[in-house]
Coordinates of all heavy atoms in Angstrom, one line a residue:
M103 N -6.4 12.3 -20.1 CA -5.5 11.4 -19.3 C -4.8 10.5 -20.2 O -5.5 9.8 -21.0 CB -6.4 10.7 -18.3 CG -5.7 9.7 -17.4 SD -6.7 8.7 -16.3 CE -7.8 9.8 -15.6
D104 N -3.5 10.4 -20.1 CA -2.8 9.4 -21.0 C -2.9 8.0 -20.4 O -3.4 7.8 -19.3 CB -1.4 9.9 -21.2 CG -0.5 9.8 -19.9 OD1 -0.9 9.2 -18.9 OD2 0.6 10.3 -20.0
K105 N -2.4 7.0 -21.2 CA -2.5 5.6 -20.8 C -1.8 5.3 -19.5 O -2.4 4.6 -18.6 CB -2.0 4.8 -21.9 CG -2.1 3.3 -21.7 CD -1.6 2.5 -22.8 CE -1.7 1.0 -22.5 NZ -1.2 0.2 -23.7
K106 N -0.6 5.9 -19.3 CA 0.1 5.6 -18.0 C -0.6 6.2 -16.8 O -0.7 5.5 -15.8 CB 1.5 6.3 -18.1 CG 2.3 6.0 -16.9 CD 3.7 6.6 -17.0 CE 4.5 6.4 -15.8 NZ 5.8 7.0 -15.8
D107 N -1.2 7.4 -16.9 CA -2.0 7.9 -15.8 C -3.2 7.1 -15.5 O -3.5 6.8 -14.3 CB -2.4 9.4 -16.1 CG -1.3 10.3 -16.0 OD1 -0.2 10.0 -15.4 OD2 -1.4 11.4 -16.6
A108 N -3.9 6.6 -16.5 CA -5.0 5.7 -16.4 C -4.6 4.4 -15.7 O -5.3 3.9 -14.8 CB -5.7 5.4 -17.7
Q109 N -3.5 3.8 -16.1 CA -3.0 2.6 -15.4 C -2.7 2.8 -14.0 O -3.1 2.0 -13.1 CB -1.8 2.1 -16.1 CG -2.0 1.6 -17.6 CD -0.7 1.4 -18.3 OE1 0.3 2.1 -18.1 NE2 -0.7 0.5 -19.3
I110 N -2.1 3.9 -13.6 CA -1.7 4.2 -12.3 C -3.0 4.4 -11.4 O -3.1 3.9 -10.3 CB -0.8 5.4 -12.2 CG1 0.6 5.0 -12.8 CG2 -0.6 5.9 -10.8 CD1 1.5 6.2 -13.0
K111 N -4.0 5.2 -12.0 CA -5.2 5.4 -11.3 C -6.0 4.1 -11.0 O -6.6 3.9 -10.0 CB -6.1 6.4 -12.0 CG -5.6 7.8 -11.8 CD -6.6 8.9 -12.2 CE -6.1 10.2 -11.8 NZ -7.1 11.2 -11.6
I112 N -6.0 3.2 -12.0 CA -6.7 1.9 -11.8 C -6.0 1.1 -10.7 O -6.7 0.6 -9.8 CB -6.7 1.1 -13.1 CG1 -7.7 1.8 -14.1 CG2 -7.0 -0.3 -12.9 CD1 -7.6 1.2 -15.5
L113 N -4.7 1.1 -10.7 CA -4.0 0.4 -9.6 C -4.2 1.1 -8.2 O -4.5 0.4 -7.2 CB -2.5 0.3 -9.9 CG -2.2 -0.6 -11.1 CD1 -0.7 -0.5 -11.4 CD2 -2.5 -2.0 -10.8
A114 N -4.2 2.4 -8.2 CA -4.5 3.1 -7.0 C -5.9 2.8 -6.5 O -6.1 2.6 -5.3 CB -4.3 4.6 -7.1
Q115 N -6.9 2.8 -7.4 CA -8.3 2.5 -7.0 C -8.4 1.1 -6.4 O -9.1 0.8 -5.5 CB -9.2 2.7 -8.2 CG -10.7 2.5 -7.8 CD -11.2 3.7 -7.0 OE1 -10.9 4.8 -7.2 NE2 -12.0 3.4 -5.9
A116 N -7.6 0.1 -7.0 CA -7.7 -1.2 -6.6 C -7.1 -1.3 -5.1 O -7.7 -2.0 -4.3 CB -6.9 -2.1 -7.5
V117 N -6.0 -0.6 -4.8 CA -5.5 -0.6 -3.5 C -6.5 0.0 -2.5 O -6.7 -0.6 -1.4 CB -4.1 0.2 -3.4 CG1 -3.7 0.5 -2.0 CG2 -3.0 -0.5 -4.2
Y118 N -7.1 1.1 -2.9 CA -8.1 1.7 -2.0 C -9.3 0.8 -1.8 O -9.7 0.7 -0.6 CB -8.5 3.0 -2.6 CG -9.2 3.9 -1.6 CD1 -8.4 4.6 -0.7 CD2 -10.6 4.0 -1.5 CE1 -9.0 5.4 0.3 CE2 -11.2 4.8 -0.5 CZ -10.4 5.5 0.4 OH -11.0 6.2 1.3
E119 N -9.8 0.1 -2.8 CA -10.9 -0.8 -2.6 C -10.5 -2.0 -1.7 O -11.3 -2.4 -0.9 CB -11.4 -1.3 -4.0 CG -12.0 -0.2 -4.9 CD -13.2 0.4 -4.4 OE1 -14.0 -0.2 -3.6 OE2 -13.5 1.6 -4.7
M120 N -9.3 -2.5 -1.9 CA -8.8 -3.6 -1.1 C -8.8 -3.2 0.4 O -9.1 -3.9 1.3 CB -7.5 -4.1 -1.5 CG -7.6 -5.0 -2.8 SD -6.0 -5.7 -3.2 CE -5.4 -4.5 -4.3
R121 N -8.3 -2.0 0.6 CA -8.3 -1.4 2.0 C -9.7 -1.4 2.6 O -9.9 -1.8 3.7 CB -7.7 0.0 2.0 CG -7.5 0.6 3.3 CD -8.7 1.6 3.5 NE -8.6 2.2 4.7 CZ -9.6 2.8 5.3 NH1 -10.8 2.8 4.7 NH2 -9.5 3.5 6.4
L122 N -10.7 -1.0 1.8 CA -12.0 -1.0 2.3 C -12.6 -2.4 2.6 O -13.2 -2.7 3.6 CB -13.0 -0.3 1.4 CG -12.7 1.2 1.2 CD1 -13.6 1.8 0.0 CD2 -12.8 2.0 2.4
L123 N -12.3 -3.3 1.6 CA -12.8 -4.7 1.8 C -12.1 -5.5 2.9 O -12.8 -6.3 3.5 CB -12.5 -5.5 0.5 CG -13.4 -5.0 -0.7 CD1 -12.8 -5.6 -2.0 CD2 -14.8 -5.4 -0.6
L124 N -10.9 -5.1 3.2 CA -10.1 -5.9 4.2 C -10.2 -5.2 5.6 O -9.5 -5.7 6.5 CB -8.7 -6.1 3.8 CG -8.5 -7.0 2.6 CD1 -7.1 -6.8 2.0 CD2 -8.7 -8.4 3.0
S125 N -10.9 -4.1 5.7 CA -10.8 -3.3 7.0 C -11.2 -4.1 8.2 O -10.7 -3.8 9.3 CB -11.6 -2.0 6.8 OG -13.0 -2.4 6.7
D126 N -12.0 -5.1 8.1 CA -12.4 -5.9 9.2 C -11.3 -6.7 9.8 O -11.4 -7.2 10.9 CB -13.6 -6.8 8.9 CG -14.9 -6.1 8.7 OD1 -15.0 -4.9 9.1 OD2 -15.9 -6.7 8.2
H127 N -10.2 -6.9 9.0 CA -9.1 -7.7 9.4 C -7.9 -6.9 10.0 O -6.9 -7.5 10.5 CB -8.6 -8.5 8.2 CG -9.6 -9.4 7.7 ND1 -9.9 -10.6 8.3 CD2 -10.4 -9.4 6.6 CE1 -10.8 -11.3 7.6 NE2 -11.1 -10.5 6.6
L128 N -8.1 -5.6 10.1 CA -7.0 -4.8 10.7 C -6.9 -5.1 12.2 O -7.9 -5.2 12.9 CB -7.3 -3.3 10.6 CG -7.1 -2.7 9.2 CD1 -7.7 -1.3 9.2 CD2 -5.7 -2.7 8.9
G129 N -5.7 -5.4 12.7 CA -5.5 -5.7 14.0 C -5.8 -7.2 14.4 O -5.6 -7.6 15.5
S130 N -6.2 -8.0 13.4 CA -6.6 -9.4 13.7 C -5.3 -10.2 14.1 O -4.3 -10.0 13.6 CB -7.2 -10.0 12.5 OG -7.5 -11.4 12.7
T131 N -5.5 -11.0 15.1 CA -4.4 -11.9 15.5 C -4.8 -13.4 15.2 O -4.1 -14.3 15.7 CB -4.1 -11.7 17.0 OG1 -5.3 -12.0 17.8 CG2 -3.6 -10.4 17.2
D132 N -5.9 -13.6 14.5 CA -6.4 -14.9 14.2 C -5.4 -15.6 13.2 O -5.2 -15.1 12.1 CB -7.8 -14.9 13.6 CG -8.4 -16.2 13.3 OD1 -7.7 -17.2 13.3 OD2 -9.6 -16.2 12.9
K133 N -4.7 -16.7 13.7 CA -3.7 -17.3 12.8 C -4.3 -17.9 11.5 O -3.6 -17.9 10.5 CB -3.1 -18.5 13.6 CG -2.4 -18.1 14.9 CD -1.0 -17.5 14.6 CE -0.3 -17.3 15.9 NZ 0.5 -16.1 15.9
E134 N -5.6 -18.3 11.5 CA -6.2 -18.8 10.3 C -6.5 -17.7 9.3 O -6.8 -18.0 8.2 CB -7.5 -19.5 10.7 CG -7.2 -20.8 11.4 CD -8.5 -21.6 11.7 OE1 -9.5 -21.4 11.1 OE2 -8.4 -22.5 12.6
M135 N -6.5 -16.4 9.8 CA -6.8 -15.3 8.9 C -5.6 -14.4 8.7 O -5.7 -13.2 8.4 CB -8.0 -14.5 9.4 CG -9.2 -15.3 9.6 SD -9.9 -15.9 8.0 CE -10.9 -14.5 7.6
L136 N -4.4 -14.9 9.0 CA -3.2 -14.1 8.9 C -2.9 -13.4 7.6 O -2.6 -12.3 7.5 CB -1.9 -15.0 9.3 CG -0.6 -14.2 9.5 CD1 -0.8 -13.1 10.6 CD2 0.5 -15.1 9.8
C137 N -3.2 -14.2 6.5 CA -3.0 -13.6 5.2 C -3.9 -12.4 5.0 O -3.5 -11.3 4.5 CB -3.3 -14.6 4.1 SG -3.0 -14.1 2.4
E138 N -5.1 -12.5 5.5 CA -6.0 -11.3 5.3 C -5.6 -10.2 6.2 O -5.7 -9.0 5.8 CB -7.5 -11.8 5.7 CG -8.1 -12.7 4.7 CD -7.8 -14.1 4.9 OE1 -6.8 -14.5 5.6 OE2 -8.5 -15.0 4.3
A139 N -5.1 -10.5 7.4 CA -4.6 -9.4 8.3 C -3.4 -8.7 7.7 O -3.4 -7.4 7.7 CB -4.3 -9.9 9.7
V140 N -2.5 -9.4 7.2 CA -1.3 -8.8 6.5 C -1.7 -8.0 5.3 O -1.3 -6.8 5.1 CB -0.3 -9.9 6.1 CG1 0.9 -9.2 5.3 CG2 0.3 -10.6 7.3
S141 N -2.6 -8.5 4.5 CA -3.1 -7.8 3.3 C -3.8 -6.5 3.7 O -3.7 -5.5 3.1 CB -4.1 -8.7 2.5 OG -3.4 -9.8 2.1
A142 N -4.6 -6.6 4.8 CA -5.3 -5.4 5.3 C -4.4 -4.3 5.7 O -4.5 -3.2 5.4 CB -6.2 -5.8 6.5
H143 N -3.3 -4.7 6.4 CA -2.4 -3.7 6.9 C -1.5 -3.1 5.8 O -1.2 -2.0 5.8 CB -1.5 -4.3 8.0 CG -2.2 -4.4 9.3 ND1 -2.2 -3.3 10.2 CD2 -3.0 -5.3 9.9 CE1 -2.9 -3.6 11.3 NE2 -3.4 -4.9 11.1
L144 N -1.2 -4.0 4.8 CA -0.5 -3.5 3.6 C -1.3 -2.5 2.8 O -0.8 -1.4 2.5 CB 0.0 -4.6 2.7 CG 0.9 -4.3 1.6 CD1 2.1 -3.6 2.0 CD2 1.2 -5.5 0.8
A145 N -2.6 -2.8 2.6 CA -3.5 -1.9 1.9 C -3.7 -0.6 2.7 O -3.7 0.5 2.1 CB -4.8 -2.6 1.6
Y146 N -3.8 -0.7 4.0 CA -4.0 0.4 4.9 C -2.8 1.3 4.8 O -2.9 2.5 4.8 CB -4.3 0.0 6.3 CG -4.7 1.1 7.2 CD1 -6.0 1.6 7.2 CD2 -3.8 1.7 8.1 CE1 -6.4 2.7 8.0 CE2 -4.1 2.7 8.9 CZ -5.4 3.2 8.9 OH -5.8 4.2 9.7
A147 N -1.6 0.7 4.8 CA -0.3 1.5 4.7 C -0.3 2.4 3.5 O 0.4 3.4 3.5 CB 0.9 0.5 4.8
L148 N -0.9 2.0 2.4 CA -0.8 2.7 1.2 C -2.1 3.5 0.8 O -2.2 4.1 -0.3 CB -0.5 1.8 0.1 CG 0.9 1.1 0.2 CD1 1.1 0.1 -0.9 CD2 2.0 2.2 0.1
H149 N -3.1 3.4 1.6 CA -4.4 4.0 1.2 C -4.4 5.5 1.0 O -5.0 6.0 0.1 CB -5.6 3.5 2.1 CG -5.7 4.3 3.3 ND1 -5.0 4.1 4.5 CD2 -6.6 5.3 3.6 CE1 -5.4 4.9 5.4 NE2 -6.3 5.7 4.9
N150 N -3.6 6.2 1.8 CA -3.6 7.7 1.6 C -2.9 8.0 0.3 O -3.3 9.0 -0.4 CB -2.8 8.3 2.8 CG -3.7 8.4 4.0 OD1 -4.9 8.5 4.0 ND2 -3.1 8.4 5.2
E151 N -1.8 7.3 0.0 CA -1.1 7.5 -1.3 C -2.0 7.2 -2.5 O -2.1 7.9 -3.5 CB 0.2 6.8 -1.3 CG 1.3 7.4 -0.4 CD 1.1 7.2 1.1 OE1 0.3 6.3 1.5 OE2 1.6 8.0 1.8
A152 N -2.8 6.1 -2.3 CA -3.7 5.7 -3.4 C -4.8 6.7 -3.6 O -5.1 7.1 -4.7 CB -4.4 4.3 -3.0
L153 N -5.3 7.3 -2.5 CA -6.3 8.3 -2.6 C -5.7 9.6 -3.2 O -6.4 10.2 -4.0 CB -6.9 8.6 -1.2 CG -8.1 9.5 -1.1 CD1 -9.2 8.9 -1.9 CD2 -8.5 9.7 0.3
A154 N -4.5 9.9 -2.9 CA -3.9 11.1 -3.6 C -3.8 10.9 -5.1 O -4.1 11.9 -5.8 CB -2.5 11.3 -3.0
I155 N -3.5 9.7 -5.5 CA -3.5 9.5 -7.0 C -4.9 9.5 -7.6 O -5.1 10.2 -8.6 CB -2.8 8.1 -7.3 CG1 -1.3 8.1 -6.8 CG2 -3.0 7.7 -8.8 CD1 -0.5 9.1 -7.5
I156 N -5.8 8.9 -6.9 CA -7.2 8.9 -7.4 C -7.7 10.3 -7.5 O -8.4 10.6 -8.5 CB -8.1 8.0 -6.4 CG1 -7.7 6.6 -6.5 CG2 -9.6 8.2 -6.8 CD1 -8.3 5.7 -5.3
E157 N -7.4 11.1 -6.6 CA -7.9 12.5 -6.5 C -7.1 13.5 -7.3 O -7.3 14.7 -7.3 CB -8.1 13.0 -5.1 CG -9.1 12.2 -4.3 CD -9.3 12.6 -2.9 OE1 -8.4 13.4 -2.4 OE2 -10.3 12.3 -2.2
G158 N -6.1 13.0 -8.0 CA -5.3 13.8 -8.9 C -4.3 14.7 -8.1 O -4.0 15.8 -8.5
R159 N -3.8 14.2 -6.9 CA -2.9 15.0 -6.1 C -1.6 14.2 -6.0 O -1.2 13.8 -4.9 CB -3.5 15.2 -4.7 CG -4.7 16.0 -4.7 CD -5.3 16.2 -3.3 NE -5.8 14.9 -2.7 CZ -5.3 14.1 -1.8 NH1 -4.2 14.5 -1.2 NH2 -5.8 13.0 -1.4
P160 N -0.9 13.9 -7.1 CA 0.3 13.1 -7.0 C 1.4 13.7 -6.1 O 2.3 13.0 -5.6 CB 0.8 12.9 -8.4 CG 0.1 14.0 -9.2 CD -1.2 14.3 -8.4
E161 N 1.4 15.0 -6.0 CA 2.4 15.7 -5.1 C 2.2 15.3 -3.7 O 3.2 15.5 -2.9 CB 2.3 17.2 -5.3 CG 1.0 17.8 -4.8 CD -0.2 17.8 -5.7 OE1 -0.1 17.2 -6.8 OE2 -1.3 18.3 -5.3
D162 N 1.1 14.8 -3.3 CA 0.8 14.3 -1.9 C 1.3 12.9 -1.7 O 1.2 12.4 -0.6 CB -0.6 14.5 -1.5 CG -1.0 16.0 -1.4 OD1 -0.1 16.8 -1.3 OD2 -2.3 16.2 -1.4
F163 N 1.7 12.2 -2.7 CA 2.2 10.8 -2.6 C 3.7 10.9 -2.2 O 4.6 11.2 -3.0 CB 2.1 10.1 -3.9 CG 2.3 8.6 -3.9 CD1 1.4 7.7 -4.4 CD2 3.5 8.1 -3.4 CE1 1.6 6.4 -4.3 CE2 3.8 6.8 -3.3 CZ 2.8 5.9 -3.8
D164 N 3.9 10.7 -1.0 CA 5.3 10.7 -0.4 C 5.9 9.3 -0.5 O 5.5 8.4 0.3 CB 5.3 11.2 1.0 CG 6.7 11.4 1.6 OD1 7.6 10.6 1.3 OD2 6.8 12.4 2.4
I165 N 6.8 9.0 -1.4 CA 7.4 7.7 -1.5 C 8.0 7.2 -0.3 O 7.8 6.0 0.1 CB 8.3 7.7 -2.7 CG1 7.6 7.9 -4.1 CG2 9.1 6.3 -2.8 CD1 8.4 8.1 -5.3
N166 N 8.8 8.0 0.4 CA 9.5 7.6 1.6 C 8.6 7.3 2.7 O 8.8 6.3 3.4 CB 10.5 8.7 2.0 CG 11.7 8.8 1.0 OD1 12.1 7.9 0.4 ND2 12.1 10.0 0.8
K167 N 7.5 8.1 2.8 CA 6.5 7.8 3.9 C 5.8 6.5 3.6 O 5.5 5.7 4.5 CB 5.5 9.0 3.9 CG 4.5 8.8 5.0 CD 3.5 10.0 5.0 CE 2.4 9.7 6.0 NZ 1.4 10.8 5.9
A168 N 5.5 6.3 2.3 CA 4.8 5.0 1.9 C 5.7 3.8 2.3 O 5.2 2.8 2.9 CB 4.5 5.0 0.4
I169 N 7.0 3.9 2.0 CA 7.9 2.8 2.3 C 8.0 2.6 3.8 O 8.0 1.4 4.3 CB 9.2 2.9 1.6 CG1 9.0 2.8 0.0 CG2 10.3 1.9 2.1 CD1 10.2 3.1 -0.8
E170 N 8.1 3.6 4.5 CA 8.2 3.5 6.0 C 6.9 2.9 6.5 O 7.0 2.0 7.5 CB 8.4 4.9 6.7 CG 9.8 5.4 6.5 CD 10.9 4.4 6.9 OE1 10.8 3.9 8.0 OE2 11.8 4.2 6.1
S171 N 5.7 3.2 6.0 CA 4.5 2.6 6.4 C 4.5 1.1 6.1 O 4.0 0.3 6.9 CB 3.3 3.2 5.7 OG 3.1 4.6 6.2
I172 N 5.0 0.7 5.0 CA 5.1 -0.7 4.6 C 6.1 -1.4 5.5 O 5.8 -2.6 5.9 CB 5.6 -0.8 3.1 CG1 4.5 -0.3 2.2 CG2 6.0 -2.2 2.7 CD1 5.0 0.0 0.7
K173 N 7.2 -0.8 5.9 CA 8.1 -1.4 6.8 C 7.5 -1.7 8.2 O 7.9 -2.6 8.8 CB 9.4 -0.6 6.9 CG 10.3 -0.6 5.7 CD 11.5 0.2 5.9 CE 12.5 0.0 4.7 NZ 13.7 0.7 4.9
K174 N 6.5 -0.9 8.6 CA 5.8 -1.1 9.8 C 5.0 -2.4 9.7 O 4.9 -3.2 10.7 CB 5.0 0.1 10.2 CG 5.8 1.3 10.6 CD 4.9 2.4 10.9 CE 5.8 3.6 11.3 NZ 5.0 4.9 11.5
V175 N 4.5 -2.7 8.6 CA 3.8 -4.0 8.3 C 4.8 -5.1 8.4 O 4.5 -6.1 9.1 CB 3.0 -4.0 7.0 CG1 2.4 -5.3 6.7 CG2 2.0 -2.9 6.9
D176 N 5.9 -4.9 7.8 CA 7.0 -5.9 7.9 C 7.4 -6.2 9.4 O 7.5 -7.4 9.7 CB 8.3 -5.4 7.2 CG 8.1 -5.4 5.7 OD1 7.1 -5.9 5.1 OD2 9.0 -4.7 5.1
E177 N 7.6 -5.2 10.2 CA 7.9 -5.4 11.6 C 6.8 -6.1 12.3 O 7.2 -7.0 13.1 CB 8.1 -4.0 12.2 CG 9.4 -3.3 11.8 CD 9.4 -1.9 12.3 OE1 8.7 -1.5 13.2 OE2 10.3 -1.1 11.7
R178 N 5.6 -5.8 12.0 CA 4.5 -6.5 12.8 C 4.3 -7.9 12.4 O 4.0 -8.8 13.3 CB 3.2 -5.7 12.5 CG 2.0 -6.2 13.2 CD 0.8 -5.4 13.0 NE -0.2 -5.9 13.9 CZ -1.2 -5.1 14.4 NH1 -1.2 -3.8 14.1 NH2 -2.1 -5.6 15.1
Y179 N 4.6 -8.2 11.1 CA 4.3 -9.6 10.6 C 5.5 -10.4 10.2 O 5.3 -11.5 9.7 CB 3.2 -9.5 9.5 CG 1.9 -9.1 10.0 CD1 1.4 -7.8 9.8 CD2 1.1 -10.0 10.8 CE1 0.2 -7.4 10.3 CE2 -0.2 -9.6 11.2 CZ -0.6 -8.3 11.0 OH -1.8 -7.9 11.5
G180 N 6.7 -9.8 10.2 CA 7.9 -10.5 9.8 C 8.0 -10.7 8.3 O 8.5 -11.7 7.8
E181 N 7.5 -9.7 7.6 CA 7.5 -9.8 6.1 C 8.7 -9.0 5.6 O 9.4 -8.4 6.4 CB 6.2 -9.2 5.5 CG 4.9 -10.0 5.9 CD 4.9 -11.4 5.3 OE1 5.5 -11.6 4.3 OE2 4.1 -12.2 5.8
Q182 N 8.8 -9.0 4.3 CA 9.9 -8.2 3.6 C 9.4 -7.4 2.5 O 10.1 -7.2 1.5 CB 11.0 -9.2 3.1 CG 11.7 -10.0 4.2 CD 12.5 -9.1 5.1 OE1 13.2 -8.2 4.6 NE2 12.4 -9.3 6.4
F183 N 8.2 -6.8 2.6 CA 7.6 -6.0 1.6 C 8.4 -4.7 1.3 O 8.7 -4.3 0.2 CB 6.2 -5.6 1.9 CG 5.2 -6.7 2.0 CD1 4.6 -7.0 3.2 CD2 4.9 -7.6 1.0 CE1 3.7 -8.0 3.4 CE2 4.0 -8.6 1.1 CZ 3.4 -8.8 2.3
G184 N 8.8 -4.1 2.4 CA 9.6 -2.9 2.3 C 10.8 -3.0 1.5 O 11.1 -2.1 0.6
N185 N 11.6 -4.0 1.6 CA 12.8 -4.2 0.8 C 12.4 -4.3 -0.7 O 13.1 -3.7 -1.5 CB 13.5 -5.5 1.2 CG 14.1 -5.3 2.6 OD1 14.3 -4.3 3.1 ND2 14.4 -6.5 3.2
R186 N 11.4 -5.0 -1.0 CA 11.0 -5.1 -2.4 C 10.5 -3.8 -3.0 O 10.8 -3.5 -4.1 CB 9.9 -6.2 -2.6 CG 10.5 -7.6 -2.3 CD 9.6 -8.7 -2.7 NE 8.3 -8.8 -2.0 CZ 8.1 -9.5 -0.9 NH1 9.0 -10.2 -0.4 NH2 6.8 -9.6 -0.4
F187 N 9.8 -3.0 -2.2 CA 9.4 -1.7 -2.7 C 10.6 -0.8 -2.8 O 10.6 0.0 -3.8 CB 8.3 -1.1 -1.7 CG 6.9 -1.6 -1.9 CD1 6.5 -2.8 -1.4 CD2 6.0 -1.0 -2.7 CE1 5.3 -3.3 -1.5 CE2 4.7 -1.4 -2.9 CZ 4.4 -2.6 -2.3
E188 N 11.5 -0.8 -1.9 CA 12.7 0.0 -2.0 C 13.5 -0.4 -3.3 O 14.0 0.5 -4.0 CB 13.6 -0.2 -0.8 CG 13.2 0.6 0.4 CD 14.1 0.4 1.6 OE1 14.6 -0.6 1.8 OE2 14.2 1.5 2.3
E189 N 13.6 -1.7 -3.6 CA 14.3 -2.1 -4.8 C 13.6 -1.6 -6.0 O 14.2 -1.2 -7.0 CB 14.4 -3.7 -4.8 CG 15.4 -4.2 -3.8 CD 15.3 -5.8 -3.7 OE1 14.6 -6.4 -4.6 OE2 15.9 -6.3 -2.8
L190 N 12.3 -1.7 -6.0 CA 11.5 -1.2 -7.1 C 11.7 0.3 -7.4 O 12.0 0.8 -8.5 CB 10.0 -1.4 -6.9 CG 9.0 -0.9 -7.9 CD1 9.2 -1.7 -9.2 CD2 7.6 -1.1 -7.4
V191 N 11.7 1.1 -6.3 CA 12.0 2.5 -6.4 C 13.4 2.8 -6.9 O 13.6 3.6 -7.8 CB 11.7 3.2 -5.1 CG1 12.2 4.7 -5.1 CG2 10.2 3.2 -4.7
S192 N 14.4 2.0 -6.4 CA 15.8 2.2 -6.8 C 15.9 1.9 -8.3 O 16.7 2.6 -9.0 CB 16.7 1.3 -6.0 OG 16.7 1.7 -4.6
A193 N 15.2 0.9 -8.7 CA 15.3 0.5 -10.1 C 14.8 1.5 -11.1 O 15.2 1.7 -12.2 CB 14.6 -0.9 -10.4
T194 N 13.8 2.3 -10.6 CA 13.1 3.3 -11.4 C 13.9 4.6 -11.5 O 13.8 5.4 -12.3 CB 11.7 3.6 -11.0 OG1 11.7 4.1 -9.7 CG2 10.8 2.4 -11.1
K195 N 14.9 4.8 -10.5 CA 15.7 6.0 -10.5 C 16.9 5.9 -11.4 O 17.5 6.9 -11.8 CB 16.2 6.2 -9.1 CG 15.1 6.7 -8.1 CD 15.7 6.9 -6.8 CE 14.6 7.4 -5.8 NZ 15.2 7.6 -4.4
T196 N 17.2 4.7 -11.9 CA 18.4 4.5 -12.7 C 18.0 4.6 -14.2 O 17.0 4.6 -14.6 CB 19.1 3.2 -12.5 OG1 18.2 2.1 -12.7 CG2 19.6 3.1 -11.1

C-alpha cells in the first residue's frame, strides 16, 4: 500500500468510526445537541463509501451518490456541506 492509499484509508476509517460513535444522535431534534446530530448525519451519509475504501473496494465509492447524500443533510439542517464537497471534486478534476 502506498502512502496515498494509507492516508485515504485512515480518513475513511475515521469517518466510519465517527459514524459509530455518533449513531445515538441520528434523528435527534435536541437543539442543545444539534452539532452532534448534524455530525452524525454527515458521517452516516458517507459511511458506505468509507467502508468501500476500508475494504479495498474503491470502485463502489460513488462520488455523485456521496454528494447527494451530503446534500440531504444540508436540506435537513440548513447547511452547505454539499457545495463545499462539489467544489472539492471540481478542483481535483482540473
Side-chain angles (χ1 to χ4, degrees):
M103 176 183 318
D104 68 11
K105 183 178 178 179
K106 182 179 178 183
D107 287 340
Q109 292 168 330
I110 292 168
K111 282 195 175 203
I112 287 169
L113 292 174
Q115 186 69 44
V117 168
Y118 197 79
E119 296 295 334
M120 285 186 267
R121 181 257 181 201
L122 295 174
L123 291 167
L124 292 165
S125 63
D126 288 346
H127 297 283
L128 286 170
S130 174
T131 57
D132 183 350
K133 299 281 189 218
E134 292 182 19
M135 302 294 272
L136 186 60
C137 183
E138 289 85 347
V140 174
S141 299
H143 283 271
L144 185 59
Y146 188 80
L148 295 172
H149 83 277
N150 285 331
E151 286 71 22
L153 190 57
I155 296 300
I156 293 164
E157 293 179 346
R159 300 178 289 108
E161 67 278 1
D162 291 341
F163 188 128
D164 185 325
I165 293 171
N166 293 325
K167 182 180 172 186
I169 291 174
E170 287 306 312
S171 294
I172 293 165
K173 286 182 175 183
K174 288 178 184 175
V175 176
D176 290 347
E177 291 171 15
R178 182 174 187 151
Y179 293 102
E181 298 290 342
Q182 295 296 316
F183 298 118
N185 293 340
R186 293 194 294 269
F187 279 83
E188 283 181 323
E189 288 172 10
L190 179 66
V191 170
S192 294
T194 59
K195 289 182 180 179
T196 58

